[in-house]
Amino acid sequence: MKNIISTAILFFGFTAFGQTKEDSIQFSRISIEILNKGKSYNELRDLTKNIGHRLSGSEAYEKSVKWAEQKLKEAGADKVWLQEVMIPVWERGKESLKIKAGNGKWISLKMLSLGNSEGTKGKDISGDIIMVKSLAEYDKLTPDQVKDKIVFFNYPFSQSYVQTFHAYSDAAVYRSTAASLTSKKGGKFAIVRSLSSAFDDVPHTGAMRYDKDIEKIPAVAIGNTTADELESLLKSQKIIAKLNSNCGMKGEKLSHSVIGEITGHKDRSVIVVGGHLDSWDVGEGAHDDGAGIVQSIEVLRTFKNLGIKNNHTIRVVCFANEENGVKGGQQYGKIVKESNEKHLFALESDAGGFSPRGIALEMDEAKINQIKSWSSLFLPYGAYDFEGRYSGTDIYPLKDMGVPTAELAPDSQRYFDIHHTEEDTFEKVNRRELLLGATIMTQMIYMIDKNW
């Protein structure tokens, strides 16, 4: 009797949330299809090598819009359209950062202006460098100590976190606020130690912001080894820095997110899967976020190729302008809210094309527990971690409307070695890791579509 009861409990526990043997078979079909016939890797090569980096507002970004539109049609979307969005236009231009000690020679440093930073309008700006290693240390400085100086925020990316996104979140405040903090006390410009897990001389860009009603001064990033060398020099002597840059905002322009979908057979409730089509203007935008784009298209293609009759509409969204404005995600959320279009779930891939470890979930506990009850289905494919409670930036507007949201959670150990740098190239992406990510995403969309 005990065995019968145990078997019954196991059976009902196994099927209570819709998990069946048929699902295991379907998971296998999805995996075999993508690992053998998936086009993500070749499409990523095409996107990165033939178009390259895709900063919002650039000619390359507009080429990528046409590219994504065509790829969604080729993948079998029933409907493909462009969603208009006004985006900020930021351009980098020529830039240089030099330092010297006393009457010594000027030495050029590898650097990148931070995204959305104002430049020097092509003029040299110079001054003595002062270094701080934390916000608390900076707060102790008086305006007289900062006035006409260059402030070097030398806060290291913590190596203590196993999940490197925690280290990124910890250090990101320096990148976003350094210019405003420096300006408020009369400094000339800010230098930031890159948000990088690597021990190299590669500078990382990324978005910064200005507080209202302050003078907009430049902010630049330097690599880790340069930061260490500069720190060492500052311990024994006065160092002067000189910046010349042409970056700045160039207004707004009309652009587009790219959307494709396969219509639901049961109803028109929407399940979103997507990534952001834009990238920074260095490297090729391969992991960030070309990987997420081609993985999302792979989800749609796999449903079509396997003849899976989706209950609900599955919609791929290639968001515009995530990197320096999130205007694509905001516009998509605005239109959903205005149209009162029902959304069941949204999954974003914007953490790189490395081996998938799980999916992070932002939703109520009942739905989290339901998804976690499917974990045994995902385990054979290397996905086991459903404990993260975050989701992609572009789908935050949907989250704010109460839509359950999620993000693919790949292995994070190498991501911040190359994030927002010239090193983010196609060659850094492994084919099987990329396709496994697409597999996990497709499997999750399949389960959501079947059970919600």
Side-chain angles (χ1 to χ4, degrees), residues 280-298:
W280 282 109
D281 60 326
V282 291
E284 296 171 350
H287 278 290
D288 188 20
D289 184 28
I293 291 295
V294 298
Q295 287 173 328
S296 298
I297 296 172
E298 196 77 73

Side-chain angles (χ1 to χ4, degrees), residues 111-367:
M111 53 76 72
L112 286 173
S113 292
L114 294 180
N116 294 350
S117 172
E118 291 298 321
T120 70
K121 296 180 172 58
K123 300 177 181 178
D124 290 341
I125 292 180
S126 61
D128 295 343
I129 300 176
I130 56 174
M131 182 184 72
V132 294
K133 303 202 76 171
S134 69
L135 292 177
E137 189 176 329
Y138 181 75
D139 288 343
K140 294 177 182 178
L141 297 178
T142 66
D144 286 343
Q145 290 174 300
V146 176
K147 184 175 175 57
D148 294 330
K149 301 293 196 302
I150 286 81
V151 182
F152 170 35
F153 290 85
N154 189 26
Y155 185 82
F157 186 98
S158 176
Q159 299 294 327
S160 299
Y161 294 102
V162 174
Q163 169 51 271
T164 60
F165 276 89
H166 294 159
Y168 179 72
S169 297
D170 172 62
V173 63
Y174 292 86
R175 187 184 72 197
S176 62
T177 65
S180 291
L181 291 173
T182 301
S183 180
K184 286 176 182 178
K185 293 186 180 182
K188 290 186 173 180
F189 67 88
I191 301 173
V192 178
R193 186 186 186 106
S194 285
L195 278 61
S196 171
S197 53
F199 292 84
D200 59 24
D201 195 29
V202 178
H204 294 229
T205 191
M208 52 81 68
R209 58 177 172 79
Y210 291 108
D211 293 345
K212 292 182 179 179
D213 303 320
I214 65 159
E215 181 184 357
K216 294 181 177 181
I217 64 171
V220 305
I222 57 176
N224 278 337
T225 56
T226 292
D228 289 339
E229 290 167 2
L230 182 55
E231 177 182 358
S232 179
L233 289 172
L234 287 167
K235 287 179 180 178
S236 61
Q237 56 197 307
K238 183 173 73 173
I239 302 296
I240 300 171
K242 179 171 67 177
L243 176 67
N244 189 304
S245 63
N246 291 277
C247 63
M249 302 301 297
K250 308 296 181 183
E252 292 185 321
K253 68 176 292 186
L254 179 66
S255 191
H256 301 86
S257 297
V258 186
I259 304 173
E261 66 183 28
I262 47 178
T263 307
H265 289 81
K266 176 183 173 183
D267 61 42
R268 300 300 171 87
S269 299
V270 177
I271 296 172
V272 165
V273 58
H276 64 86
L277 188 56
D278 64 309
S279 74
W280 282 109
D281 60 326
V282 291
E284 296 171 350
H287 278 290
D288 188 20
D289 184 28
I293 291 295
V294 298
Q295 287 173 328
S296 298
I297 296 172
E298 196 77 73
V299 173
L300 188 151
R301 178 187 296 112
T302 303
F303 266 75
K304 295 292 286 190
N305 286 354
L306 292 181
I308 301 173
K309 291 190 177 297
N310 47 299
N311 292 321
H312 314 289
T313 293
I314 297 174
R315 180 177 295 167
V316 175
V317 184
C318 305
F319 292 98
N321 185 236
E322 189 272 348
E323 292 293 8
N324 69 321
V326 200
K327 299 299 184 182
Q330 292 170 2
Q331 178 69 359
Y332 183 83
K334 178 176 180 287
I335 290 175
V336 169
K337 189 172 184 178
E338 290 174 349
S339 66
N340 200 30
E341 184 179 46
K342 184 178 180 181
H343 278 54
L344 296 178
F345 179 75
L347 171 64
E348 186 164 3
S349 173
D350 184 21
F354 299 103
S355 290
R357 297 292 184 240
I359 292 179
L361 309 169
E362 277 199 296
M363 58 196 69
D364 64 52
E365 282 300 316
K367 283 185 166 55

Side-chain angles (χ1 to χ4, degrees), residues 55-69:
L55 183 64
S56 287
S58 68
E59 182 180 346
Y61 179 77
E62 297 308 318
K63 289 180 180 179
S64 74
V65 168
K66 295 179 181 179
W67 178 93
E69 182 181 20

